[in-house]
Amino acid sequence: MPTVNLEIQKKGTMSKAKEKSAKKRVAEEDDDQFPIFDKDIAEKENLEDEDDLSDSDESVFSGLEDSGSDSEEDGEGDEDGDDEDEDCAIISDEILKNDTVAETSAKPTATVKNTSKHQDEKLESAGKKNIKKGKGIVMEDGGEKGLTTTFQGLTTTLPADEYDQDTSDEEDVRNTVGNIPMEWYQDYPHIGYDLDGKKIFKPIRNKDELDEFLDKMENPDYWRTVHDKTTASDIRLSDEQVDLVHRLQKGQFGDASFNEYEPSVDFFTNEVMIHPVTNRPQDKRSFIPSLIEKQKVSKMVHAIKMGWIKPRKPKETTPQYYDLWAKEDPNAILGRHKMHVPAPKMRLPGHEESYNPPPEYLLTEEERLAWEQQDPEDRKLPFLPQKHSCLRAVPAFSRFIHERFERCLDLYLCPRQRKMRVNVNPEDLIPKLPKPKDLQPFPTTMSLVYRGHTSLVRSISASPTGQWLVSGSDDCTVRFWEVNTGRCLKTLEVGGAVKGVAWNPNPAVCLVAVCFESTVLLLNPALGDRLVVGATDQLITSYEPPEEDKEQAVTWALSEGPEHDKGHRLTLTHPKGVKQVVWHGKGDYLSSVMPDNTSNLQVLIHQVSKRRTQNPFRKNKGLVQCVSFHPLRPYFFVATQRCVRVYNLIKQELTKKLTANCKWISSMAIHPGGDNLICGSYDCRLAWFDLDLSTKPYKMLRHHKKALRGVAYHKHYPLFASGADDGSVIVCHGMVYNDLLQNPLIVPVKVLRGHQITHDLGVLDVTFHPTQPWVFSSGADATIRLFT
Amino acid sequence: MGGLQKKKYERGSATNYITRNKARKKLQLSLADFRRLCILKGIYPHEPKHKKKVNKGSTAPRTFYLLKDIRFLLHEPIVRKFREYKVFVRKLRKAYGKAEWTGVERLRDNKPGYKLDHIIKERYPTFVDALRDIDDALSMCFLFSTFARTGKCHVQTITLCRRLSVEWMNYIIASRSLKKVFLSIKGIYYQAEVLGQVITWLVPYQFAHDHPTDVDYRVMATFTEMYTTLLGFVNFRLYQTLNLVYPPKVSQSLSQPWVKHILNKLSALSASLARVVATAEEEENQMDQFPTEGDQENLEAREKEQKEQEAHKRLFEGLKFFLNREVPRESLAFILRCFGAEVSWDQSLCIGGTYDVTDESITHQIVDRPNMDKQYINRYYIQPQWVFDTVNAKMLLPVEDYFIGVTLPPHLSPFVEEKDGDYVPPEKLKLMALQRGEKPDDDDDDDDDEEEEEEEDDDDGDDDELTEERNLKKMENQRAQGKTLAVKVTPGKVRPWETGSVGNRVRLEQEEKAEEKRLAIMMMKKKEKYLYDKIMFGKKRTVREANKLTAKRKAHEDASKAEKKAKKQ
């Protein structure tokens, strides 16, 4: 087989040589043609570039030639190859000289390895390209000399005899100036040198444009005349040459006798040849064992014998285990381990994870649907409980690998934090308070219900003796009740819904203030001691009007006739609607509230004995909710929406401003000691102020569920009560100590219920019995209730 | 004031933590390598107490590592191995690209590897630490050992996992430390107590896995790498404590001499293991009597407990089991042998079966099929759940409920420990009664009847008023008829809350106390009230859930009863 190889090799080189020559041809021809071709256009640089390129190409080729022909070839073959190479070179030169149109525009390509076939194809394509140009030339343009000149070579040497006389000596060379741009000789009279070194002079050309034109017109062979640059002469193409040009233009082979469709001989077939391609006998060295190899082998054998070379051990793949904790030292724990938070173990499965769980753990249809609609993160159970009748029916759990993977992720990605979970016993959170039992007395049960009113009872007030109770309602009546029996002693119709009632706290006077619309009515109910009643009437009638009549904010009118019989004594007509009336502790002064956001006329203080009225405030400091007199000192409390102002009436100045941390104060009560104050608010809070302590609430109680409407202190007992819209009255023990250092003790002692909630209103007013630990409450259900 | 200006975030917690990316840069590792390192070394992110401070004022979500941890990683020799491996991969790729096959071979032979021994020692300084953390390792190894050899991971890993898990099971058998088993829908849970540590692991059912695509097997493989190393060392140590040879050897030669591979022999779980010292067969470790006077009761209790444990270990001793082909052989053989039973199975199923179906001395045959054609009279044919329930109950349960074709009683989780207030399924109550030694009630039907009767009684009690009213109505009707009537005054019933009886007083007291509490709650501070409300909410929720379960159970029972009645008729 080596011979065959050789042959192939040779073939290879042959083809290579051919191809290379073709390349060279292309390249050189370029050198030749370009300058002529674009004589006017091309610049010198460009030319040089082209030169360079061709050079480099050549070098590449030569290099390849060497590499192709060295190595494995015999001497003989080498020689052959060389010879042939040379031949090729020569041939190519010739071709170059007598070049064809075909290659004119073929550009030097960088591809090195091309088979002969390839080359053919290229030629063909080049020819095709030229067809267009050629037409242009032939038909009309004589100016394109570049193309026409190329035909010249064809006249001298024809491809037929080219190979017959195969020497360069016999070549008919007229101009031996060499391969240089012909424009270098432009300015000279000669165009080059012949073999003897004599100048070849340019033919005398006296043809000008006109001659040229005439020639074109008259000469029938003009179309087949080309200009040879090297000799600067015109050549007339023979018929064969014209034929060749035509053929090339058509894209046919130049050689008319060339058969394009020869049967192809497949050199490298899959069929195994039984005979060698060459008859060359095998080399001797192919029979004789190699000496060098023998030496190498013997060296290795020696090394193995001496134990220098050992066979490679197969790598241990199975891990080796040993007693890792043989010398365990529990103290040698790294510092890092102090911060170590061990991963929590997996949660252990419950009954619902069983393959056969009790029936109550299975999800119902709705639960299952809800489970499916939930996000996987929100689900309480990460799986659906299922029941299988026997073990063989249990399928594989599809999310097994997922769950294990999630565990892995948790182990290395989840941030860990040590959380101290304090186990609080909820009982410990409840404050330890004295037992309500120990704080008795306080009202515990509802004992009486005073029925009679037909609409909500806005206000109630107890007489200072504790025997009577007065109530004002939205049904425009004021009713007087006997506390102990629940009997309604008197009913008085007034001209509007009663907003507030207040019994004069002075036991020596029997007078009740009632406010409705813009009127404050002072009534003498004529209940109780005759003497007191009489004294009261006398007190009112004994009034003597002063000399100079001062203009007052309200008009005082004395009631007479049937009204007097009904009990009306004095009528104070206010400019605006009155919401609340309040007596001073002594019973001579009376204050009325006319809530109004726009004027300073909101609060008026009346003196009954002198029938005098004054407006204490010059400025409007917000909507006044309620007012109150200090039980002992000349202080006056005014509650606006969010704060309570305390005024000194003698000094006529603001002494304190208490901010209740609530949105809207509804009611207010002053501790009989005068140092404490409670405020109920519509946002369910009750604030206890200790006036000596701070202007902020000492305690906020949020024990009502709805808006507070009324608050009250007991006169003697440490009790206070609050009524709210949730229908409950909460009674608290509020002990105030004489010791200033001890804070008041507040303990809720009883939640009293009884009032029905009507129109979202529950308890509207609460008040304590003046002597007993009893509390009255009036509600929106038109009843008054007594809790004892 | 002199001194340097104090800058924010240059001291305190901000300096103790490091973000993941910074840590990665510090270690000069790729993210994948960093993750692998974290997995192997057991480094995990920490949640700082004040995240905003640590995050330098930003609230962007970041994971933080302890700076100390990362510094500690800096000196890890494995990091160098990672880099070597990276270089190796690069070289290999290059050799491949150049088609240098000898080079590829040479590189392959010198593939850099690393060992995790030192890491295991470092992560678990004591053996007990390692045992405490072995749950996940076991679950993972058991999972990997069930993988098919289809390229999800290396075949060596799978075989190694299989070997280690089989060794572990053999150890559990030899030490008889299995405590609880549970058949869940996910797989089979086992719980064992090894050297005082409670270890739980989960084994999937023997099915082919359909591998999910959204699981990163590299992460799993890294974990497995660590876990196999850990489990190997733990196994070695455990075998040493029992004086067993490691790697394990089967003591008596099996009847099948052609089975060469030791792993196959071991995985049959039928042979006992070879010991280092052959004589030390069984040591009865008697508890020493400590002369403690005060804790006499305590001591007795402990002794009793010990005895119970011993009895539990010998639960199946003396019984001879035969496993049918359709039952999961491995798990059942494992459990039965853990409690001292003799087990065998069909020769075609697996090697290691010691006796045949025809053996007359077999006491129980475990079957999981609707019926059997040929049955032996002197043995029980039971379903596999009996074994599991018996182990959990720590006593031999009556076999009647578990016969072939019988509807099985529910299988309860042994891991649930009910606190008071939690829902306890009635089956558990029944079981507890059995354990206390009480005779179970007669048949279910009787139970039902009794219940019904009781219910009727209850109805009567409730309907007292109704009957009274009815009587009154009757009387009225009679009167309306205008006939002469013997008017009778019947003594009225005294309602308990109307009298001043003891019960009444108690009730009053209770009410008082409740009110007291209510009033005190009103005086709670806002913060405490919130906490209190939360705790109470949680309590109420548990109660609600328990109630829901009870209601469901009742509804189910009513439905089944109705069905039964319908069938009877």
Side-chain angles (χ1 to χ4, degrees):
Chain A
M1 291 316 285
T3 47
V4 177
N5 270 339
L6 249 177
E7 276 308 299
I8 291 159
Q9 197 74 34
K10 258 186 207 167
K11 287 273 176 198
T13 48
M14 281 288 283
S15 63
K16 264 181 201 164
K18 258 189 206 165
E19 152 203 326
K20 176 190 58 192
S21 64
K23 287 279 165 201
K24 219 186 237 172
R25 190 170 43 186
V26 169
E28 286 186 342
E29 165 214 353
D30 266 335
D31 290 352
D32 271 357
Q33 304 306 333
F34 269 107
I36 308 161
F37 191 67
D38 0 283
K39 204 178 205 167
D40 312 317
I41 314 148
E43 292 170 10
K44 265 204 171 174
E45 287 174 15
N46 200 356
L47 292 169
E48 279 166 9
D49 280 354
E50 292 288 344
D51 270 353
D52 288 348
L53 221 152
S54 72
D55 278 352
S56 67
D57 274 357
E58 196 136 40
S59 68
V60 170
F61 294 145
S62 62
L64 234 182
E65 198 173 65
D66 289 342
S67 68
S69 59
D70 64 0
S71 66
E72 291 155 45
E73 279 185 15
D74 314 350
E76 211 178 317
D78 265 338
E79 278 170 25
D80 282 356
D82 282 355
D83 278 358
E84 275 176 7
D85 270 2
E86 275 173 11
D87 286 354
C88 282
I90 293 156
I91 294 161
S92 67
D93 276 354
E94 272 171 46
I95 293 167
L96 268 178
K97 291 278 157 58
N98 326 316
D99 220 325
T100 54
V101 189
E103 277 93 8
T104 44
S105 70
K107 295 200 172 112
T109 47
T111 48
V112 181
K113 289 172 188 172
N114 258 337
T115 56
S116 52
K117 260 187 189 173
H118 243 115
Q119 201 189 345
D120 287 342
E121 279 171 337
K122 202 183 239 167
L123 272 173
E124 230 172 289
S125 65
K128 268 179 194 164
K129 270 184 202 163
N130 275 325
I131 290 172
K132 285 175 198 163
K133 277 184 186 170
K135 267 180 192 166
I137 300 154
V138 174
M139 300 319 288
E140 35 177 81
D141 204 5
E144 282 212 15
K145 286 165 193 166
L147 268 179
T148 46
T149 44
T150 47
F151 291 109
Q152 189 201 16
L154 293 174
T155 51
T156 51
T157 50
L158 289 169
D161 56 350
E162 195 177 32
Y163 293 97
D164 293 340
Q165 315 148 356
D166 201 13
T167 51
S168 55
D169 297 339
E170 287 168 36
E171 200 180 2
D172 187 9
V173 179
R174 291 180 197 157
N175 190 358
T176 57
V177 75
N179 190 13
I180 56 154
M182 294 313 291
E183 74 234 24
W184 290 357
Y185 287 94
Q186 246 175 5
D187 301 335
Y188 296 100
H190 61 276
I191 198 161
Y193 308 93
D194 62 3
L195 282 170
D196 302 328
K198 285 174 184 163
K199 285 176 181 171
I200 303 171
F201 288 94
K202 287 179 185 168
I204 302 151
R205 282 182 72 106
N206 42 12
K207 272 187 182 174
D208 53 1
E209 293 291 320
L210 193 64
D211 290 333
E212 190 87 13
F213 178 70
L214 287 175
D215 201 18
K216 193 178 179 181
M217 288 289 111
E218 287 162 8
N219 191 359
D221 292 337
Y222 179 80
W223 64 273
R224 59 160 71 177
T225 312
V226 290
H227 182 76
D228 185 4
K229 263 277 180 74
T230 48
T231 56
S233 58
D234 289 343
I235 300 159
R236 180 183 163 280
L237 296 181
S238 65
D239 283 344
E240 294 89 39
Q241 284 165 338
V242 169
D243 194 35
L244 176 66
V245 168
H246 279 311
R247 250 186 290 127
L248 286 177
Q249 277 178 338
K250 279 181 199 162
Q252 290 167 341
F253 285 96
D255 188 0
S257 60
F258 181 75
N259 183 13
E260 296 170 55
Y261 304 105
E262 262 179 9
S264 70
V265 179
D266 200 357
F267 287 102
F268 307 99
T269 58
N270 53 350
E271 290 159 20
V272 181
M273 290 194 280
I274 52 167
H275 300 295
V277 179
T278 59
N279 204 14
R280 193 164 163 276
Q282 279 191 329
D283 286 326
K284 182 184 177 187
R285 65 175 179 227
S286 63
F287 302 111
I288 300 169
S290 163
L291 242 170
I292 299 165
E293 276 178 15
K294 188 183 167 191
Q295 279 174 352
K296 275 186 183 167
V297 169
S298 66
K299 257 187 188 172
M300 281 183 196
V301 170
H302 181 63
I304 290 168
K305 267 185 193 166
M306 300 301 284
W308 297 334
I309 298 178
K310 280 172 198 153
R312 189 181 280 138
K313 266 190 238 163
K315 264 205 169 175
E316 274 287 327
T317 48
T318 49
Q320 291 298 309
Y321 299 120
Y322 49 91
D323 193 358
L324 191 67
W325 292 280
K327 283 180 284 178
E328 76 180 18
D329 179 10
N331 298 327
I333 292 169
L334 292 167
R336 189 179 85 81
H337 284 265
K338 278 178 198 162
M339 289 293 282
H340 182 53
V341 185
K345 292 200 170 189
M346 290 281 271
R347 228 172 56 82
L348 289 172
H351 297 313
E352 63 278 351
E353 206 181 312
S354 167
Y355 88 103
N356 182 14
E360 62 267 31
Y361 286 98
L362 293 170
L363 298 187
T364 59
E365 195 61 27
E366 303 102 64
E367 279 170 335
R368 201 176 56 76
L369 279 176
W371 186 89
E372 273 165 5
Q373 272 164 8
Q374 264 176 337
D375 267 348
E377 291 96 45
D378 299 341
R379 284 172 188 165
K380 226 170 169 195
L381 278 180
F383 54 89
L384 269 177
Q386 285 158 353
K387 194 178 182 82
H388 302 281
S389 60
C390 50
L391 190 57
R392 66 172 184 276
V394 184
F397 186 61
S398 59
R399 285 191 57 80
F400 196 95
I401 295 177
H402 268 121
E403 287 199 346
R404 196 100 291 279
F405 178 61
E406 272 156 22
R407 170 71 178 170
C408 286
L409 289 188
D410 281 352
L411 282 178
Y412 89 96
L413 280 182
C414 191
R416 296 187 201 167
Q417 188 178 33
R418 205 182 278 279
K419 269 206 174 147
M420 302 308 266
R421 173 160 286 173
V422 267
N423 228 344
V424 183
N425 185 8
E427 300 299 321
D428 295 346
L429 290 173
I430 298 171
K432 294 274 167 290
L433 293 174
K435 279 188 178 174
K437 226 186 221 172
D438 307 339
L439 301 175
Q440 272 167 346
F442 53 83
T444 51
T445 50
M446 184 173 69
S447 35
L448 276 177
V449 182
Y450 304 88
R451 289 182 209 277
H453 281 295
T454 53
S455 185
L456 28 148
V457 186
R458 291 238 181 233
S459 177
I460 46 173
S461 182
S463 72
T465 52
Q467 203 176 351
W468 321 105
L469 183 75
V470 63
S471 64
S473 159
D474 269 11
D475 58 3
C476 308
T477 56
V478 176
R479 280 174 191 262
F480 294 89
W481 313 85
E482 195 178 20
V483 168
N484 288 340
T485 56
R487 231 179 90 205
C488 180
L489 293 171
K490 231 179 202 185
T491 309
L492 278 180
E493 295 269 346
V494 292
V498 181
K499 292 276 164 47
V501 290
W503 206 297
N504 195 323
N506 189 356
V509 178
C510 182
L511 213 54
V512 174
V514 176
C515 68
F516 59 92
E517 286 174 358
S518 59
T519 313
V520 173
L521 201 64
L522 295 183
L523 296 170
N524 187 350
L527 294 171
D529 198 348
R530 288 261 171 93
L531 284 174
V532 173
V533 173
T536 308
D537 280 345
Q538 206 172 5
L539 186 77
I540 287 169
T541 48
S542 67
Y543 167 73
E544 284 171 16
E547 279 94 55
E548 74 254 45
D549 211 5
K550 253 174 53 183
E551 192 67 24
Q552 296 203 52
V554 299
T555 51
W556 292 73
L558 198 65
S559 306
E560 281 164 353
E563 285 190 341
H564 187 272
D565 295 343
K566 272 204 259 175
H568 294 209
R569 292 295 176 265
L570 282 170
T571 312
L572 289 81
T573 315
H574 285 67
K576 282 175 277 187
V578 183
K579 199 188 144 200
Q580 191 207 4
V581 279
V582 111
W583 287 99
H584 182 250
K586 294 270 166 56
D588 194 19
Y589 287 96
L590 172 77
S591 178
S592 58
V593 181
M594 299 170 285
D596 181 11
N597 223 352
T598 52
S599 78
N600 63 341
L601 190 69
Q602 292 196 85
V603 180
L604 290 174
I605 298 178
H606 316 280
Q607 192 178 7
V608 177
S609 57
K610 295 189 175 160
R611 301 198 189 164
R612 216 172 53 178
T613 299
Q614 52 179 338
N615 177 14
F617 303 117
R618 230 169 295 132
K619 266 186 190 166
N620 175 10
K621 288 276 177 65
L623 197 66
V624 175
Q625 298 299 315
C626 48
V627 295
S628 186
F629 287 97
H630 193 282
L632 307 171
R633 271 168 282 177
Y635 287 141
F636 190 58
F637 296 83
V638 179
T640 53
Q641 266 187 33
R642 316 195 91 176
C643 51
V644 178
R645 290 188 170 80
V646 186
Y647 294 94
N648 190 331
L649 286 175
I650 290 175
K651 287 184 186 167
Q652 302 203 333
E653 63 179 15
L654 179 76
T655 46
K656 228 169 232 179
K657 187 182 162 194
L658 311 172
T659 42
N661 291 332
C662 47
K663 297 264 164 56
W664 198 310
I665 293 171
S666 65
S667 50
M668 174 175 63
I670 320 285
H671 190 265
D675 279 344
N676 293 281
L677 176 89
I678 49 173
C679 271
S681 78
Y682 289 116
D683 50 347
C684 323
R685 299 177 198 205
L686 189 141
W688 174 296
F689 291 95
D690 191 336
L691 297 181
D692 296 333
L693 203 66
S694 153
T695 57
K696 295 266 161 55
Y698 157 67
K699 204 123 200 175
M700 282 297 246
L701 304 176
R702 294 177 191 78
H703 45 217
H704 277 292
K705 294 279 183 306
K706 280 186 177 170
L708 271 81
R709 295 260 171 196
V711 289
Y713 270 113
H714 197 281
K715 276 226 168 71
H716 306 299
Y717 291 105
L719 290 176
F720 65 91
S722 56
D725 275 349
D726 54 1
S728 67
V729 175
I730 295 181
V731 181
C732 299
H733 177 87
M735 178 60 116
V736 176
Y737 299 96
N738 286 332
D739 182 9
L740 281 176
L741 289 175
Q742 202 167 0
N743 285 329
L745 171 78
I746 300 170
V747 183
V749 287
K750 190 73 190 170
V751 180
L752 300 167
R753 289 174 207 283
H755 282 286
Q756 261 109 47
I757 297 167
T758 42
H759 308 300
D760 281 339
L761 293 173
V763 179
L764 295 177
D765 198 9
V766 287
T767 184
F768 274 101
H769 191 276
T771 51
Q772 297 293 326
W774 298 348
V775 67
F776 300 98
S777 68
S778 71
D781 54 351
T783 58
I784 303 156
R785 283 158 204 263
L786 168 67
F787 300 94
T788 56
Chain B
M1 295 295 282
L4 285 170
Q5 189 191 356
K6 268 189 203 169
K7 281 184 185 164
K8 249 182 165 181
Y9 311 125
E10 283 192 352
R11 60 172 69 200
S13 54
T15 52
N16 289 339
Y17 292 93
I18 187 168
T19 62
R20 192 193 62 187
N21 265 344
K22 272 190 186 157
R24 211 168 54 72
K25 269 183 196 139
K26 193 172 179 118
L27 293 171
Q28 299 181 350
L29 285 174
S30 67
L31 187 59
D33 275 347
F34 177 69
R35 282 190 170 158
R36 194 176 309 142
L37 191 65
C38 283
I39 291 169
L40 294 177
K41 293 280 281 183
I43 305 290
Y44 45 85
H46 282 256
E47 184 79 11
K49 239 183 196 168
H50 303 287
K51 199 155 187 195
K52 206 172 162 194
K53 258 185 213 170
V54 172
N55 214 349
K56 300 191 175 157
S58 155
T59 48
R62 286 204 181 93
T63 47
F64 292 99
Y65 288 84
L66 275 184
L67 188 64
K68 262 188 185 174
D69 282 354
I70 300 302
R71 285 225 189 94
F72 167 75
L73 285 183
L74 271 177
H75 309 292
E76 178 55 48
I78 277 220
V79 176
R80 214 180 59 232
K81 297 282 183 188
F82 282 166
R83 293 194 187 117
E84 272 174 23
Y85 192 80
K86 207 166 66 185
V87 172
F88 159 74
V89 169
R90 202 164 56 213
K91 281 179 179 169
L92 196 68
R93 203 185 302 136
K94 203 177 250 180
Y96 257 115
K98 288 180 174 176
E100 289 169 355
W101 307 119
T102 50
V104 167
E105 207 169 297
R106 182 176 48 78
L107 281 170
R108 278 267 165 79
D109 285 339
N110 295 323
K111 182 179 173 181
Y114 51 84
K115 284 194 159 184
L116 299 174
D117 306 6
H118 64 285
I119 289 182
I120 300 291
K121 183 73 200 282
E122 189 183 274
R123 281 182 70 171
Y124 308 106
T126 60
F127 181 57
V128 177
D129 290 334
L131 271 185
R132 224 173 266 159
D133 227 18
I134 209 152
D135 286 21
D136 289 313
L138 280 170
S139 294
M140 191 66 121
C141 279
F142 272 97
L143 170 66
F144 263 65
S145 62
T146 57
F147 276 178
R149 296 156 193 223
T150 49
K152 276 288 167 204
C153 56
H154 294 296
V155 176
Q156 294 99 305
T157 316
I158 294 171
T159 45
L160 181 62
C161 281
R162 175 76 188 146
R163 181 191 134 193
L164 290 171
S165 51
V166 165
E167 282 171 10
W168 172 262
M169 284 200 285
N170 272 301
Y171 166 77
I172 295 292
I173 290 172
S175 64
R176 294 209 177 171
S177 43
L178 194 67
K179 294 284 173 241
K180 290 170 181 174
V181 284
F182 178 51
L183 287 168
S184 86
I185 51 171
K186 292 179 184 173
I188 305 174
Y189 284 90
Y190 299 94
Q191 193 173 67
E193 199 180 319
V194 179
L195 304 183
Q197 297 296 323
V198 175
I199 295 162
T200 318
W201 70 97
L202 171 63
V203 182
Y205 288 116
Q206 289 283 339
F207 288 108
H209 300 277
D210 52 338
H211 289 279
T213 48
D214 52 344
V215 163
D216 190 355
Y217 278 91
R218 284 175 304 175
V219 170
M220 301 259 277
T222 314
F223 267 102
T224 315
E225 199 180 349
M226 214 271 295
Y227 285 151
T228 47
T229 320
L230 170 65
L231 193 56
F233 285 117
V234 166
N235 275 351
F236 187 94
R237 176 80 180 219
L238 287 174
Y239 273 70
Q240 224 182 24
T241 56
L242 282 191
N243 266 337
L244 296 169
V245 181
Y246 190 91
K249 279 179 192 150
V250 175
S251 57
Q252 77 265 37
S253 60
L254 284 170
S255 52
Q256 291 93 345
W258 60 84
V259 182
K260 280 280 167 358
H261 208 277
I262 182 79
L263 186 58
N264 289 347
K265 280 187 211 172
L266 278 174
S267 58
L269 296 174
S270 63
S272 52
L273 303 175
R275 286 175 187 272
V276 178
V277 187
T279 50
E281 188 57 38
E282 284 284 313
E283 282 175 26
E284 279 297 315
N285 42 351
Q286 288 283 334
M287 210 160 61
D288 295 337
Q289 296 287 336
F290 294 109
T292 46
E293 284 166 25
D295 288 343
Q296 197 58 38
E297 274 184 29
N298 213 347
L299 200 70
E300 272 172 19
R302 227 188 312 158
E303 255 176 39
K304 199 183 165 196
E305 201 174 295
Q306 186 104 2
K307 256 180 202 166
E308 265 176 22
Q309 277 183 7
E310 283 299 312
H312 190 214
K313 276 181 188 175
R314 296 159 188 278
L315 186 64
F316 291 138
E317 222 147 73
L319 301 181
K320 225 169 168 184
F321 285 86
F322 189 84
L323 308 181
N324 247 23
R325 271 186 302 131
E326 68 273 8
V327 299
R329 186 201 65 86
E330 192 176 289
S331 61
L332 278 171
F334 171 59
I335 293 165
L336 291 170
R337 286 216 57 220
C338 274
F339 295 95
E342 271 185 88
V343 201
S344 181
W345 45 83
D346 199 70
Q347 292 296 333
S348 62
L349 187 61
C350 184
I351 60 157
T354 41
Y355 45 87
D356 223 5
V357 210
T358 51
D359 195 333
E360 290 290 326
S361 58
I362 291 173
T363 57
H364 294 76
Q365 184 163 350
I366 298 177
V367 189
D368 195 4
R369 52 175 78 180
N371 47 23
M372 279 283 271
D373 294 336
K374 196 185 167 195
Q375 292 196 2
Y376 290 82
I377 274 181
N378 59 348
R379 65 177 77 156
Y380 294 121
Y381 287 86
I382 46 172
Q383 298 198 36
Q385 195 189 320
W386 180 81
V387 176
F388 291 85
D389 282 349
T390 302
V391 167
N392 292 337
K394 300 185 180 177
M395 58 181 290
L396 290 174
L397 289 176
V399 287
E400 294 85 22
D401 298 342
Y402 299 90
F403 279 154
I404 301 184
V406 165
T407 311
L408 289 167
H411 180 57
L412 296 176
S413 165
F415 304 115
V416 181
E417 273 159 23
E418 279 96 356
K419 285 167 269 171
D420 39 327
D422 287 352
Y423 174 73
V424 186
E427 286 85 9
K428 181 125 185 180
L429 293 175
K430 224 182 254 178
L431 180 74
M432 273 147 74
L434 259 179
Q435 277 169 338
R436 280 195 300 271
E438 292 166 17
K439 268 276 169 200
D441 301 330
D442 300 311
D443 289 341
D444 283 3
D445 292 334
D446 288 357
D447 254 1
D448 289 353
D449 290 343
E450 271 170 36
E451 273 171 32
E452 273 168 40
E453 274 165 32
E454 272 168 30
E455 274 175 21
E456 275 163 26
D457 284 350
D458 282 354
D459 281 352
D460 288 351
D462 287 340
D463 289 350
D464 265 355
E465 285 175 53
L466 270 178
T467 47
E468 216 171 282
E469 259 178 49
R470 233 178 280 150
N471 284 341
L472 279 175
K473 243 185 191 168
K474 216 194 261 170
M475 276 156 72
E476 257 176 79
N477 285 343
Q478 281 170 352
R479 194 180 289 171
Q481 280 161 8
K483 305 295 172 214
T484 49
L485 234 170
V487 176
K488 213 165 50 176
V489 177
T490 49
K493 269 187 189 171
V494 179
R495 314 233 173 238
W497 55 88
E498 282 165 358
T499 57
S501 66
V502 182
N504 187 18
R505 222 175 296 144
V506 168
R507 212 175 110 166
L508 268 180
E509 245 167 55
Q510 274 177 356
E511 265 175 19
E512 212 167 86
K513 231 172 222 169
E515 192 179 1
E516 227 170 79
K517 200 174 156 191
R518 233 180 301 134
L519 290 170
I521 286 168
M522 285 201 299
M523 286 303 285
M524 273 169 109
K525 280 175 196 159
K526 207 173 165 188
K527 231 178 183 176
E528 285 173 352
K529 183 83 190 299
Y530 175 73
L531 184 61
Y532 180 82
D533 282 349
K534 238 173 133 179
I535 294 172
M536 290 326 250
F537 178 77
K539 280 191 172 177
K540 269 179 201 160
R541 191 176 44 198
T542 50
V543 170
R544 217 184 312 134
E545 269 162 23
N547 287 346
K548 199 176 155 196
L549 284 175
T550 325
K552 258 171 127 181
R553 177 70 178 213
K554 191 152 186 287
H556 177 83
E557 266 169 12
D558 288 348
S560 59
K561 217 183 274 176
E563 219 169 80
K564 227 186 252 174
K565 270 184 186 167
K567 263 186 193 172
K568 268 183 194 173
Q569 290 163 3

